[in-house]
Amino acid sequence: MASPELKHPLLSVQQLGRTAVQAVEECGYVAALLVESLYWVVFGSVRHQPVRLPSIFSQMMTIGIGAIPIVFVLSFAVGVMLAIQGIHTLRIFGAESQVVIGIALSVTREFGPLITGVLIAGRSGSALAAQIGTMQVSQEIDALRVMGINPVRYLVSPALLAMLIMVPTLTFFSDLAALFGGAVYSTVELGLGVEAYLQQTLDVLAADDIMQGLIKSVVFAGIIALVGVSNGFSVTGGAEGVGRATTRAVVLSISYIVLADMVFTYFLNR
Amino acid sequence: MASVLTSVDDPVMEVQDLVTHYGAVQILRGVNMTVSPGEIMAIMGRSGSGKSTLLSYLLGLHRPTSGCVRLLGLDIARASAAELHELRKNIGVAFQGGAMFSSMTVGENIRLPLREHTKLDEKTMQIMTRMKLELVNLGGFEHLMPSQLSGGMLKRAALARAIIMDPKLLFFDEPSAGLDPVVAAELDELILRLRDALQMTIVVVTHELSSACKIADRIMILEKGCVLMTGTVDEVRNSENERIQAMLHRRPGTKEIDPDDYLQRLTRD
Ligand SMILES: Nc1ncnc2c1ncn2[C@@H]1O[C@H](COP(=O)(O)OP(=O)(O)OP(=O)(O)O)[C@@H](O)[C@H]1O
Ligand SMILES: [Mg+2]
């Protein structure tokens, strides 16, 4: 046995190496999942193993429709918050009325997609990881495979598709709710007419701003679905394992969302 | 799919020199077995001997280190995805814990293979589901969720799902474990009936000796990942092998203790 002082740094280097290898492996796995689930969407019916519409719709219901109230409340609150902070900051320059522009741009380009992404990651990404993890533990995934039902086609493709449809939709809704929140506060605080506020918002917003938010939200949707599903499939060790995978899925997908947001914002504004 | 349609005498299942590992630990150490059409084969062995592991490799759920498994004439490690898909329509599996999908009712669970693999209309599928449910004495439980069934009922529901496509080959993990003797005996009867009425070939994993003797044509005994013996019920009964006799008469196993190994296990950190 080497002395503890010598053992320690070596061990941490080893650990670092292992973690790096694991990270690369996981990336490869997630990429393979993405390719396979898209393959089933496109070629499933040719191979007589289609991705079923009812499962897509039921996923869309749970991911999308159920999230509407909470998305509305949070987005509205963020809109109000932006208005408060914006007016406070702009008052220094005596330019409070410019707050409309600030809210319109920051909501559509940044806050709408981000809030929606984080919310859906916490709400549906975790549920996906828990559902698939539980199925893994109780041998339901094995049962699907031996029945000749591909788990990726049956479970992942519908979830991914539903995410890709519902997250941008919710993002658009979140944009509206946040703008509404900003409008309510600013019109009261600044004595602005609602119509004037609306007119200004429409004047300043270009289709490009909304598109930028929506493009990002599509990326977020992919991240949420794939991180949730891959963590679910990799569950080992019973109920405790399911819990761990669920937490990991949420933390990872929120982190990836924020990082991807930064990267995309950089490139989309070049 | 020529390879799936085997002639009458070809073995339904053939395993050659199957070696598998969990990580670095070797679990199966060269297992050989063949199962003929219409035969009921029981895989027996003490806890931890590798029965469930063997089953998962027979089902092609993992890739073995070496060796080959042929089901209905198809080498499952070399088969294409399309061939495997076709093969799996001809195989039924009832898992130990049932593995019923918890988000669907019992009826939907049993119907799922039909829904995915056939174009039957809803009414036909419903009738077929009910027929299988009647067969396993679960008539009327169609609309319950799996969580509302008892352990024995779950096992029977899983069996109903496994046979819904009338498979040529049926795997059944621990049919009688944890059931009361009457239900266990009923399941044994049912397995025999399935073979006789539907000409299924059945592979049963069990550690109930009485059940194995009642239903099996042949018994394979696993120990520590090796095949200790394969033979008819009588051959196994009359075997001279000490460990088999210990198992038959429920004598506690004479553990041979290697003092060096024992000391090492105690002091290892
Ligand atoms: N996921 C796993 N990872 C590592 N080792 C495993 C795993 N599953 C099983 N093993 C090991 O494989 C060996 C065989 O296990 P297996 O579950 O096949 O036994 P079994 O014969 O089915 O026992 P039982 O009758 O108790 O179900 C055991 O020594 C076990 O420790
Ligand atoms: Mg077992």
Side-chain angles (χ1 to χ4, degrees):
Chain A
M1 259 320 107
S3 64
E5 302 92 83
L6 222 153
K7 196 175 147 192
H8 197 74
L10 264 182
L11 270 185
S12 46
V13 169
Q14 208 179 33
Q15 187 59 43
L16 189 72
R18 269 206 206 111
T19 315
V21 170
Q22 263 171 19
V24 171
E25 260 176 25
E26 210 172 316
C27 282
Y29 179 59
V30 166
L33 262 182
L34 175 66
V35 171
E36 196 182 342
S37 45
L38 293 179
Y39 171 87
W40 286 115
V41 172
V42 179
F43 295 107
S45 26
V46 183
R47 294 189 49 184
H48 304 289
Q49 301 173 58
V51 178
R52 310 259 171 209
L53 276 181
S55 13
I56 302 177
F57 283 132
S58 85
Q59 285 281 3
M60 279 169 66
M61 285 298 282
T62 43
I63 292 169
I65 309 301
I68 286 180
I70 184 84
V71 167
F72 177 81
V73 171
L74 290 202
S75 305
F76 184 89
V78 166
V80 171
M81 221 161 60
L82 280 175
I84 298 172
Q85 297 283 20
I87 290 172
H88 177 81
T89 313
L90 290 168
R91 196 162 270 152
I92 302 171
F93 311 105
E96 294 98 312
S97 59
Q98 300 298 315
V99 76
V100 183
I101 302 172
I103 294 174
L105 292 183
S106 52
V107 160
T108 51
R109 295 164 73 106
E110 198 55 61
F111 286 102
L114 195 60
I115 294 166
T116 312
V118 169
L119 233 160
I120 299 301
R123 194 176 172 276
S124 304
S126 60
L128 216 59
Q131 182 210 346
I132 291 184
T134 312
M135 292 181 75
Q136 181 74 268
V137 169
S138 63
Q139 282 193 301
E140 286 171 48
I141 302 281
D142 288 345
L144 277 177
R145 287 174 61 195
V146 300
M147 275 181 206
I149 300 174
N150 185 304
V152 174
R153 167 180 72 88
Y154 190 75
L155 297 169
V156 182
S157 298
L160 181 69
L161 267 190
M163 260 326 158
L164 290 177
I165 297 168
M166 287 324 277
V167 175
T169 312
L170 282 173
T171 298
F172 187 70
F173 175 73
S174 158
D175 287 349
L176 296 181
L179 289 175
F180 177 56
V184 168
Y185 186 84
S186 328
T187 49
V188 171
E189 178 76 12
L190 303 176
L192 218 66
V194 177
E195 249 164 73
Y197 184 98
L198 256 181
Q199 193 54 53
Q200 270 195 53
T201 303
L202 288 180
D203 285 346
V204 58
L205 271 186
D208 207 37
D209 298 315
I210 297 177
M211 272 319 287
Q212 191 179 124
L214 293 185
I215 289 173
K216 285 200 283 193
S217 73
V218 171
V219 176
F220 297 168
I223 291 176
I224 298 169
L226 292 172
V227 171
V229 164
S230 64
N231 276 287
F233 277 127
S234 59
V235 164
T236 48
E240 194 196 336
V242 175
R244 237 180 294 129
T246 310
T247 313
R248 190 161 182 275
V250 176
V251 173
L252 277 185
S253 48
I254 292 180
S255 314
Y256 290 156
I257 283 174
V258 173
L259 291 180
D261 192 7
M262 185 184 73
V263 173
F264 268 78
T265 308
Y266 178 77
F267 283 109
L268 289 174
N269 289 297
R270 296 278 285 177
Chain B
M1 211 59 48
S3 54
V4 171
L5 304 167
T6 44
S7 81
V8 196
D9 302 321
D10 284 345
V12 173
M13 185 173 86
E14 216 178 343
V15 180
Q16 277 166 7
D17 299 319
L18 188 68
V19 176
T20 73
H21 289 79
Y22 270 123
V25 189
Q26 193 176 34
I27 306 292
L28 298 180
R29 304 156 195 267
V31 172
N32 288 287
M33 68 190 289
T34 44
V35 180
S36 320
E39 189 176 34
I40 298 181
M41 167 73 103
I43 299 175
M44 297 192 65
R46 300 228 307 253
S47 187
S49 56
K51 302 183 297 290
S52 299
T53 308
L54 175 60
L55 183 65
S56 75
Y57 283 90
L58 295 182
L59 299 174
L61 291 174
H62 310 285
R63 237 165 224 290
T65 315
S66 66
C68 106
V69 176
R70 282 172 181 284
L71 299 180
L72 305 172
L74 189 73
D75 182 344
I76 56 175
R78 298 224 170 70
S80 70
E83 285 172 322
L84 264 184
H85 182 71
E86 210 51 40
L87 173 73
R88 288 194 156 135
K89 294 183 193 171
N90 290 296
I91 293 179
V93 185
F95 283 94
Q96 184 163 359
M100 302 294 277
F101 303 112
S102 51
S103 56
M104 304 176 189
T105 64
V106 173
E108 283 164 359
N109 259 287
I110 294 171
R111 249 193 303 277
L112 185 67
L114 290 178
R115 201 183 286 286
E116 289 292 324
H117 296 315
T118 68
K119 293 199 164 58
L120 298 173
D121 60 286
E122 213 47 45
K123 191 74 201 159
T124 317
M125 286 199 279
Q126 192 179 46
I127 293 172
M128 289 178 73
T129 307
R130 290 187 180 156
M131 274 166 55
K132 300 295 182 199
L133 275 172
E134 291 293 339
L135 196 65
V136 298
N137 287 333
L138 280 180
F141 289 98
E142 199 184 343
H143 298 293
L144 290 190
M145 298 304 280
S147 57
Q148 294 169 304
L149 299 186
S150 73
M153 288 158 88
L154 268 180
K155 275 212 168 86
R156 283 180 283 155
L159 179 60
R161 187 176 67 183
I163 59 175
I164 186 75
M165 298 277 289
D166 293 329
K168 297 193 176 75
L169 177 56
L170 173 70
F171 292 93
F172 204 160
D173 196 0
E174 303 278 5
S176 41
L179 300 185
D180 71 67
V182 177
V183 177
E186 275 173 15
L187 262 181
D188 289 344
E189 287 296 326
L190 183 60
I191 290 172
L192 284 172
R193 245 191 302 150
L194 282 177
R195 192 263 308 266
D196 296 339
L198 303 169
Q199 271 86 51
M200 276 180 206
T201 307
I202 302 176
V203 176
V204 174
V205 173
T206 181
H207 55 240
E208 297 283 321
L209 187 72
S210 54
S211 142
C213 288
K214 192 162 131 200
I215 60 175
D217 298 311
R218 285 193 303 148
I219 296 178
M220 182 179 102
I221 297 175
L222 267 186
E223 177 155 308
K224 297 193 182 126
C226 298
V227 180
L228 197 57
M229 126 161 241
T230 309
T232 61
V233 175
D234 287 331
E235 280 167 8
V236 170
R237 275 216 180 104
N238 301 329
S239 159
E240 304 278 280
N241 189 307
E242 191 185 321
R243 280 181 294 216
I244 295 176
Q245 285 305 320
M247 201 175 84
L248 290 178
H249 300 293
R250 301 174 185 246
R251 253 186 278 128
T254 39
K255 255 190 293 179
E256 63 274 20
I257 293 179
D258 176 358
D260 284 341
D261 188 40
Y262 178 68
L263 253 180
Q264 215 195 352
R265 257 183 295 160
L266 289 184
T267 52
R268 192 171 37 198
D269 51 19

